[in-house]
Each structure stands twice: as C-alpha cells, then as structure tokens.
Amino acid sequence: MATETQSPWRIIAEFLEEDQTEKLTQFIDSLTSKQLIHSIGHLSLNQQMKLLRLLSPEDAAEVIEEIPEAQAADIIEEMETHEAAAILNEMHSNEQADLLQELDQEEASAILAEMDPEEAEDAKKLMAYDHDTAGGSMITDDSAIPESRNSKEMPGKRRAAYQEFEEYNLKYFYVITPLGELVGVLQTRDLLIARPETRLGDIVLRNVIAINQHAPLEELINLFDTYDFYGFP
C-alpha cells in the first residue's frame, strides 16, 4: 500500500503494478513538474510505457509534455504507432513538432500518418521551421479566426477556450482575412462577453505588433522583454 513517506516514483510503480488507474491519475496530477520528471526517470522503460497506456491519451500527453524531449522520444519510439499517434493528437502543436523532430524520420512519418489529419498538418508546418526561429516556437491550436464571423458563430470549443488557453497564458485570438492575412488581435475575454450578433472584425484590436515567422528566436525574446504581452502574431 502506498504511503505519504514513500518516494513519488515508488508510489507510481506500486499503482502501476496494481493497475490502479484512477489513483495513478490523481497522484500524477498532484505532482510538481520537477517531481514528475524525477519519477519518470526512475521507472524502467516498460513501466514508463505501461504508465502511458493506463492513462487516457489526454493525460498521457500531459506527462509527455512535462518530461525532456529526448526522454519522451525514447518512450514514444517503443510504443505501437497508433498508441503514439493517439497521444500526440492530444499535445499542443509546438510540442508535437518538437517531439516528432526528436524521432527517427521513418518513425515520425509513420506516426504522422496515423494522427488526425488536421493535427498532423499543423505539426508538419511547424516542423518546417528551425528551432532557433520564431516559427519554431509557434502554437497553431485554434488561434486564428475569420474577421467575418460574429460571436454566436464561434464553435463551442473556441467560445469555451479561456480555460484551455490559460495554461499557455494565451489570452488572444488572431483575426484574419479570407486570404489568411492578419487583421488584428481579439482578446479572449472580449469574445466571451460580446453580444451574439457582434461581428468579430468590429471588436478586434488592429494596431498590433507582429513578428515574421522566420525571424531569429532572439528577436522574439527581445519583444517579450520589451512588451508585457502574452504572445505575438
């Protein structure tokens, strides 16, 4: 029986041995990032794989995103392709791309083929950018919306996006023209409180600072140092 005096990784190992999925999920949720990374490192590869298989793909994705990319890649490479794809489908787009770039090219291609087509396409776009560019740090998850829409036309996922995006400190949507050109920035709170008939183009902030996706990462860092913003289009 697990006790509070045991090391976290030993408690995880015990829950794994007993197939106690619910307790395992709750315990992992209670750990800090440092504790989780330390615990995963103490588990054998078989235990690490069993951990991810016992968790839901969403919970497994959260674990993968917390641990170092090289360590995550070692685990993913040992999993069945469909299992790995299910986990990557639940990861944020930039995390997907970073992890896939750690894998052997053949393995990465096989996983992309099994992933949800939209998720795979987003990952491929980000994989085209170098790590040391602004594009390599982009997040593509539902952040761009057409200016012609009104508030009531927004899909439920985006209307309820505040909690999901809060973990990334992403407080904005980027409003675009039909050709994909940037119109401006829409703050999430403005979307959530807007009247249903409000056209998004009417509440967008148009004078915004943007950065080229090919700009050096240092330039992006300088922008964050200069401005108190959560993100840049």
Side-chain angles (χ1 to χ4, degrees):
M1 179 181 294
T3 66
E4 294 184 359
T5 58
Q6 287 181 284
S7 298
W9 74 269
R10 293 186 183 278
I11 295 176
I12 292 175
E14 187 169 319
F15 287 153
L16 286 172
E17 185 177 352
E18 298 172 357
D19 293 333
Q20 296 193 47
T21 305
E22 184 175 350
K23 289 184 178 180
L24 179 64
T25 302
Q26 292 174 349
F27 183 70
I28 287 176
D29 286 342
S30 73
L31 298 179
T32 65
S33 295
K34 185 176 180 179
Q35 288 175 321
L36 180 58
I37 293 170
H38 182 266
S39 298
I40 296 295
H42 275 79
L43 299 176
S44 68
L45 181 58
N46 285 337
Q47 288 174 317
Q48 292 169 350
M49 292 172 60
K50 183 174 182 179
L51 169 64
L52 296 185
R53 285 169 173 151
L54 282 179
L55 297 175
S56 68
E58 184 177 4
D59 288 333
E62 291 182 6
V63 171
I64 287 293
E65 289 182 345
E66 288 286 350
I67 62 179
E69 289 167 10
Q71 185 178 12
D74 287 341
I75 302 172
I76 290 295
E77 284 180 336
E78 295 298 324
M79 302 189 75
E80 295 292 335
T81 303
H82 71 277
E83 294 175 326
I87 293 173
L88 267 80
N89 278 335
E90 300 299 329
M91 295 172 64
H92 294 95
S93 53
N94 61 325
E95 299 280 0
Q96 290 173 340
D98 289 344
L99 178 55
L100 286 165
Q101 287 175 324
E102 287 285 334
L103 302 176
D104 173 85
Q105 185 174 354
E106 185 177 344
E107 181 73 21
S109 297
I111 292 173
L112 283 165
E114 290 281 344
M115 288 174 61
D116 175 87
E118 290 187 10
E119 295 287 341
E121 187 62 29
D122 283 344
K124 289 176 184 178
K125 288 178 181 177
L126 293 186
M127 290 170 69
Y129 297 104
D130 292 334
H131 277 295
D132 58 354
T133 65
S137 298
M138 285 194 302
I139 300 170
T140 64
D141 304 332
D142 289 330
S143 57
I145 51 179
E147 65 174 330
S148 58
R149 289 191 177 181
N150 58 38
S151 182
K152 71 178 180 181
E153 291 175 324
M154 291 298 293
K157 181 179 179 182
R158 289 175 178 163
R159 289 278 295 170
Y162 187 84
Q163 182 176 357
E164 178 180 349
F165 280 92
E166 200 171 36
E167 66 182 275
Y168 255 125
N169 285 327
L170 255 178
K171 310 296 184 184
Y172 320 118
F173 290 100
Y174 301 119
V175 180
I176 57 176
T177 68
L179 296 178
E181 299 168 334
L182 179 68
V183 174
V185 170
L186 175 62
Q187 298 185 77
T188 306
R189 68 169 182 266
D190 290 340
L191 169 64
L192 296 179
I193 66 175
R195 297 177 62 86
E197 66 274 12
T198 302
R199 184 175 173 273
L200 299 184
D202 294 335
I203 57 175
V204 67
L205 302 175
R206 294 179 181 270
N207 296 320
V208 298
I209 298 171
I211 186 169
N212 187 284
Q213 65 266 36
H214 298 291
L217 188 57
E218 182 179 355
E219 185 176 329
L220 177 60
I221 293 172
N222 288 337
L223 281 178
F224 279 111
D225 287 340
T226 304
Y227 300 98
D228 188 24
F229 295 158
Y230 291 101
F232 294 94

